[in-house]
Every structure is written in structure tokens, then in C-alpha cells.
């Protein structure tokens, strides 16, 4: 009996040993580090997905086309772009004389009829190495913004006149009243396909509305410089602007600014629609016709 019991015990030990060996052969060893690595991978994947959703939600819906950020200043430099719209005019000579006195450069966004009216000023702008840009023909939003084709036609016509007068083939443009709110995405794409480089501004002198624009302009310039951004100053080719230009240039000279021109090779900057762009409303124009008071929607033609 005792031998029988001992035999059973020995047999059980043999069977248990065999089972243990089979388990060690068929079951892969689990490495703790690998498990942590996989867990980290899963967590990273989840985190990346959440970040992607967060980034997607931060992108404005229908952004119209993302445009470059404002041009950045390089350390140790204080570059500024001075721009004049709506010329040439009777004030252009004084503006050019003042720029020459301060050894300053600027860019002129010119209207086609004005170029024909003041061809000598157009030639002088080019001869003195200022930037020559295009501002269209009519400066009438109801005509310019009828369709992408009308916008292209006006810029192409202005481009041809400038080239005929000076031999310069310019592709830099500024649309009437700026690209917001009427230059919708379809217009931007069409102009871009034609090779035009769209420019707006980040400093509005408001010289079109009043003569006390100097302090406001300087404040905006300082704000852009503090943010590390190159100021792009909107002014207009008009006598009141020419009158205050020496004071502005004196400030820039005393504070170490370098004026530069905008060319076709300069990285363009324009406003982003972010759902602000919409078609012009010609019905509103008809509704206001005949009203003796100045309609609230009618911008100054000097802007």
C-alpha cells in the first residue's frame, strides 16, 4: 500500500513537470518594458488624435485662403514699406521731392486714368527707383468687383498702361478699398493665376479721412515694430498727405528706419477673409440713388 501511494506521488510529479515545460515553450515571455512601450504608444496615438481634433477646431471655417503672415523684421533691422494709393496726382511731385530729400523709397499703387493724366510723374516714380504698383481703373466697387473677370480686366489694363509708359511690367496690386470685404476667394484665385501679387497694409494712416493722421500712424508703426512685424503703411497721393510727409520721414530717419520698395519678388501680404468677404450689393446702390444725403455705404473716393 505504501509502495502504491509512493508510485502515485512520483507519477503526479512527473506529469506536473511535463506540463510546466509545455507552458514555458508555448507561452512567449512577456517583457515589462515592451508592455509599457505599447501602452505609451497607445496613449500617444490617442493624444495625437485629440491634438488633431483641437487643431482642426481652431481653424476658422471657410477661411477663404490662408495668406502669409505679415513680413517679419530681422534682428537689428527696422524696415518699413511706405505706400501711396490713387495717384499720380498734382501732389505726386511734392511727395517725390520729399522722399528724395530724406533718401527714402516708397511704392505707388496707381490708377490707370491717373497714369495717363500724369505720365511724367509715372516715369519719375520708376526713374527714381520707387515701386510701381497697380490699383485698377475705375476705383468703383460696383464695377471692379462685378466678377473675377472684371477685376482681372482692370488690373490688366492698368498693367498695360504702366508698361507702355515706362517699360515696367508690374504684377503687384492693391484692390480698391483693400481686399476685405469684397475680394472673395474666387477673385483671389483668379488674380493669382494671372500672376498678380496682392498687397494690403497693417498701418492705416487714415489720411483719407482727416489731416491729423501723423500721431496715429506713428503709434501704429511702433506697435508693429514691437511685435517684430514690418510696417506696411497705407497713405494716399493727395496734398494733405504730402503736407505731413516730411514730419513722418523725419521721425523714421531719427529712429533708424530703412524704407524699402515692394517688388514682384517681395513676399506679398494681404488680409484674410475669415468669413468677412461678401459680394457687393448693387441693389443697395439703386435704393440710395437720389438721396440728397451722403449714403452711409459710400466710401470716400480718396481712400
Amino acid at each position: 500500500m505504501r509502495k502504491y501511494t509512493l508510485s502515485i506521488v512520483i507519477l503526479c510529479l512527473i506529469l506536473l513537470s511535463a506540463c510546466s515545460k509545455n507552458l514555458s515553450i508555448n507561452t512567449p515571455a512577456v517583457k515589462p518594458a515592451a508592455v509599457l512601450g505599447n501602452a505609451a504608444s497607445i496613449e500617444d496615438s490617442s493624444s495625437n488624435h485629440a491634438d488633431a481634433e483641437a487643431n482642426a477646431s481652431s481653424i476658422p471655417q471657410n477661411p477663404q485662403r490662408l495668406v502669409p503672415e505679415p513680413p517679419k523684421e530681422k534682428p537689428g533691422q527696422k524696415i518699413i514699406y511706405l505706400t501711396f494709393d490713387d495717384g499720380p496726382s498734382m501732389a505726386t511731385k511734392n511727395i517725390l521731392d520729399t522722399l528724395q530729400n530724406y533718401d527714402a523709397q516708397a511704392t505707388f499703387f496707381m490708377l490707370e486714368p491717373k497714369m495717363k493724366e500724369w505720365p511724367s510723374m509715372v516715369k519719375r516714380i520708376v526713374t527714381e527707383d520707387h515701386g510701381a504698383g497697380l490699383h485698377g481703373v475705375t476705383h468703383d466697387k460696383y464695377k471692379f468687383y462685378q466678377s473675377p473677370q472684371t477685376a482681372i480686366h482692370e488690373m490688366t489694363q492698368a498693367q498695360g498702361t504702366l508698361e507702355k509708359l515706362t517699360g515696367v511690367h508690374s504684377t503687384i496690386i492693391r484692390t480698391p478699398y483693400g481686399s476685405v470685404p469684397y475680394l472673395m476667394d474666387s477673385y483671389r484665385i483668379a488674380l493669382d493665376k494671372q500672376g498678380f501679387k496682392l498687397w494690403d497694409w497693417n498701418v492705416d494712416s487714415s489720411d483719407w479721412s482727416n489731416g491729423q493722421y501723423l500721431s496715429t500712424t506713428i503709434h501704429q508703426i511702433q506697435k508693429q515694430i514691437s511685435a517684430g512685424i514690418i510696417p506696411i503703411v497705407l497713405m494716399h497721393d493727395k496734398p494733405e498727405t504730402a503736407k505731413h510727409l516730411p514730419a513722418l520721414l523725419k521721425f523714421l530717419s531719427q529712429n533708424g528706419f530703412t524704407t524699402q520698395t515692394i517688388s514682384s519678388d517681395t513676399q506679398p501680404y494681404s488680409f484674410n477673409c475669415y468669413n468677412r468677404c461678401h459680394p457687393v450689393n448693387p441693389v443697395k446702390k439703386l435704393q440710395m440713388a437720389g438721396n440728397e444725403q451722403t449714403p452711409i455705404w459710400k466710401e470716400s473716393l480718396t481712400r
Side-chain angles (χ1 to χ4, degrees):
M1 183 67 180
R2 189 177 296 174
K3 289 183 179 180
Y4 179 73
T5 303
L6 182 60
S7 298
I8 292 175
V9 171
I10 292 171
L11 180 61
C12 289
L13 290 173
I14 293 171
L15 290 174
L16 287 172
S17 176
C19 290
S20 176
K21 288 181 179 179
N22 287 336
L23 286 171
S24 65
I25 293 172
N26 296 327
T27 305
V30 178
K31 297 180 181 180
V35 172
L36 291 174
N38 289 338
S41 298
I42 294 171
E43 186 177 349
D44 288 345
S45 175
S46 176
S47 176
N48 290 339
H49 181 67
D51 289 344
E53 288 185 346
N55 290 337
S57 64
S58 67
I59 298 175
Q61 298 299 311
N62 187 25
Q64 296 291 337
R65 262 202 325 164
L66 296 178
V67 295
E69 293 182 353
K72 300 296 178 65
E73 291 278 12
K74 295 180 181 179
Q77 292 185 338
K78 292 174 74 173
I79 296 171
I80 188 168
Y81 297 128
L82 303 177
T83 68
F84 296 88
D85 286 9
D86 299 346
S89 72
M90 61 183 297
T92 308
K93 181 182 182 303
N94 289 339
I95 291 173
L96 290 173
D97 288 345
T98 302
L99 290 170
Q100 190 175 58
N101 291 339
Y102 284 87
D103 194 24
Q105 299 301 122
T107 301
F108 293 79
F109 290 96
M110 298 176 283
L111 291 166
E112 193 262 354
K114 295 292 190 71
M115 286 192 277
K116 288 183 174 179
E117 184 179 356
W118 301 91
S120 62
M121 291 296 100
V122 180
K123 293 174 183 177
R124 183 179 169 186
I125 287 170
V126 171
T127 301
E128 297 182 3
D129 295 325
H130 297 291
L134 314 171
H135 200 38
V137 179
T138 63
H139 210 288
D140 183 334
K141 66 183 180 183
Y142 297 104
K143 294 179 180 178
F144 184 92
Y145 295 106
Q146 279 184 17
S147 69
Q149 289 69 36
T150 56
I152 290 174
H153 175 73
E154 287 209 16
M155 290 304 181
T156 302
Q157 184 174 329
Q159 186 183 60
T161 297
L162 175 64
E163 189 165 6
K164 183 178 179 180
L165 291 173
T166 65
V168 172
H169 181 80
S170 178
T171 58
I172 60 172
I173 64 171
R174 177 172 287 162
T175 57
Y177 311 107
S179 67
V180 172
Y182 305 120
L183 197 71
M184 296 183 296
D185 197 39
S186 57
Y187 293 68
R188 295 169 188 254
I189 293 173
L191 288 166
D192 184 68
K193 286 182 177 179
Q194 291 294 317
F196 291 114
K197 311 295 184 181
L198 180 62
W199 280 86
D200 285 310
W201 58 87
N202 55 31
V203 174
D204 186 350
S205 69
S206 296
D207 61 349
W208 54 272
S209 62
N210 62 73
Q212 305 301 317
Y213 69 88
L214 187 59
S215 59
T216 302
T217 302
I218 291 174
H219 173 73
Q220 292 179 68
I221 290 171
Q222 291 173 324
K223 184 177 180 180
Q224 296 295 350
I225 288 295
S226 297
I229 296 171
I230 296 177
I232 308 166
V233 184
L234 168 67
M235 293 180 284
H236 294 82
D237 196 324
K238 52 182 284 189
E240 190 67 20
T241 303
K243 177 182 177 181
H244 294 278
L245 185 59
L248 176 60
L249 294 180
K250 182 178 181 180
F251 164 81
L252 297 178
S253 177
Q254 290 177 342
N255 287 272
F257 283 89
T258 300
T259 58
Q260 291 188 3
T261 60
I262 294 171
S263 70
S264 299
D265 296 328
T266 311
Q267 178 65 49
Y269 167 71
S270 58
F271 303 138
N272 200 316
C273 281
Y274 288 131
N275 295 322
R276 296 177 297 170
C277 292
H278 56 81
V280 293
N281 187 357
V283 175
K284 195 170 186 179
K285 182 180 182 181
L286 293 175
Q287 290 174 344
M288 298 299 292
N291 191 337
E292 293 182 359
Q293 297 180 350
T294 303
I296 59 173
W297 50 263
K298 187 174 183 181
E299 294 91 344
S300 168
L301 290 178
T302 60
R303 184 177 178 185

